[in-house]
Amino acid sequence: MAFSKEKRRQKIKKRIRRDITGTGSRPRLSVFRSNKEIYAQIIDDVEGKTLAAASSRDKSISSAEGKMEQATLVGKSLAEKAKEAGIETISFDRGGYLYHGRVKSLAEGAREGGLKF
């Protein structure tokens, strides 16, 4: 029997998380995508701390038209917050989602903001 979408995503997420970990010098950018919103965090897994976070629920971002544009703005906002925290290089954790659509536009927005991954 085939896996449900959520079980399939969880399997992929575990497989990705085996290889990608966030350190102090190269933290992990984690993405969560719901049907309405998109969230992103920069995490140091060694210390277990969130260094920066952004979401489409922020006042400046929620006014944007369309989910793709919101995802791009979330990426740019996260890149600005990361620069303030002194972070330039990250590992990208797509969270089991396909690198397509909103996840891809968030990554491109983060790159435009100056993050390297």
Side-chain angles (χ1 to χ4, degrees), residues 24-79:
S25 61
R26 189 178 173 119
R28 174 172 58 97
L29 189 158
S30 178
V31 176
F32 176 75
R33 177 182 61 93
S34 71
N35 286 336
K36 290 184 177 182
E37 311 289 344
I38 191 159
Y39 307 87
Q41 296 180 336
I42 296 180
I43 303 167
D44 180 359
D45 290 319
V46 175
E47 298 210 12
K49 291 188 179 182
T50 299
L51 306 173
S55 76
S56 58
R57 296 179 62 115
D58 297 341
K59 297 287 184 197
S60 60
I61 296 169
S62 62
S63 62
E65 295 256 339
K67 295 178 190 176
M68 293 286 282
E69 187 178 328
Q70 284 181 351
T72 304
L73 291 175
V74 168
K76 288 180 182 177
S77 172
L78 188 65

Side-chain angles (χ1 to χ4, degrees), residues 2 4 8 10 21 35 54 78 82 106 108 110 117:
S4 67
R8 180 184 161 277
Q10 291 300 327
T21 57
N35 286 336
L78 188 65
L106 185 141
E108 290 172 352
F117 46 105

